[in-house]
Amino acid sequence: GQSLEQPSEVTAVEGAIVQINCTYQTSGFYGLSWYQQHDGGAPTFLSYNALDGLEETGRFSSFLSRSDSYGYLLLQELQMKDSASYFCAVWNSGAGSYQLTFGKGTKLSVIP
Amino acid sequence: DAMVIQNPRYQVTQFGKPVTLSCSQTLNHNVMYWYQQKSSQAPKLLFHYYDKDFNNEADTPDNFQSRRPNTSFCFLDIRSPGLGDAAMYLCATSRIQGRGDTEAFFGQGTRLTVV
């Protein structure tokens, strides 16, 4: 089976930097993605890592270490609109198909 | 220019009355997924289609079925909804061409209420 672990809640101050960690256990690992979801909305794609290292997209960066089965999402210059749930999700392959499995999510609250 | 469209956005159904949720896509992606998401929980994969091949998750109840008549459309059928099936149902697509894709595109979801 698969399991993903991430903190359930994080609170940070506007303008600060926050890191959300994710550890995973899965077979057929292909890549790690991060999704943002606001209350009542659909998950929206933030980033994807297939190889070790850091990927940067504007204020968001994501890191992967395949040997440690670990990744993180880094949010810089936090804004109030960043208050949302953040999910790490693993792509794994098997039986000729690919599936995306989500962690339980981290609820980020940005405070003034 | 919505790419993954779910209808309806809100669905109320009676306990035990079959209900169908629909999803369509304009991306021509070959994989379509159905997720169930309950309040404050992660999206849970129910099943997915890779082209015409159906892939069911081991813990998906038999009460949930799916159909994919063509590339663009996919349906989720709940044969006898129970109160515990009230949730947001999310459809997603991705493109797999001999290797995994990097992004799944989600529809806005259908929020199902069972009364």
Side-chain angles (χ1 to χ4, degrees), chain A residues 2-110:
Chain A
Q2 297 129 23
S3 69
L4 296 95
E5 296 291 333
Q6 57 181 123
S8 59
E9 294 183 14
V10 173
T11 300
V13 177
E14 190 176 15
I17 300 172
V18 71
Q19 178 174 315
I20 300 174
N21 297 320
C22 174
T23 58
Y24 60 87
Q25 287 186 327
T26 186
S27 57
F29 176 84
Y30 190 84
L32 183 71
S33 287
W34 289 90
Y35 282 79
Q36 178 192 62
Q37 187 178 33
H38 288 97
D39 285 345
T44 56
F45 174 80
L46 292 177
S47 69
Y48 171 78
N49 296 71
L51 302 175
D52 287 358
L54 191 67
E55 296 282 343
E56 298 181 70
T57 309
R59 294 187 298 114
F60 298 96
S61 303
S62 59
F63 172 84
L64 175 66
S65 168
R66 295 177 68 117
S67 59
D68 295 324
S69 299
Y70 164 76
Y72 66 72
L73 178 69
L74 191 72
L75 298 87
Q76 303 182 71
E77 301 172 16
L78 281 173
Q79 301 175 9
M80 299 299 291
K81 67 178 182 179
D82 297 330
S83 293
S85 290
Y86 292 84
F87 294 91
C88 62
V90 293
W91 285 97
N92 63 297
S93 62
S97 186
Y98 294 84
Q99 58 194 61
L100 184 64
T101 303
F102 284 77
K104 294 183 178 180
T106 299
K107 187 174 178 64
L108 172 64
S109 298
V110 180

Side-chain angles (χ1 to χ4, degrees), chain A residues 2 30 33 35 37 39-45 47-48 50 87 91 94-105, chain B residues 9 31 33 35 37 40-43 45 48 50 55 57 88 90 94 96 98-104 106-108 111:
Chain A
Q2 297 129 23
Y30 190 84
S33 287
Y35 282 79
Q37 187 178 33
D39 285 345
T44 56
F45 174 80
S47 69
Y48 171 78
F87 294 91
W91 285 97
S97 186
Y98 294 84
Q99 58 194 61
L100 184 64
T101 303
F102 284 77
K104 294 183 178 180
Chain B
R9 290 290 309 278
V31 187
Y33 305 85
Y35 288 86
Q37 186 176 28
S40 301
Q41 295 186 20
L45 182 62
H48 73 280
Y50 184 0
N55 296 271
E57 292 301 298
M88 174 77 86
L90 295 161
S94 66
I96 309 294
R99 59 180 291 276
D101 204 348
T102 61
E103 181 176 353
F106 282 82
Q108 288 301 303
R111 183 166 295 282

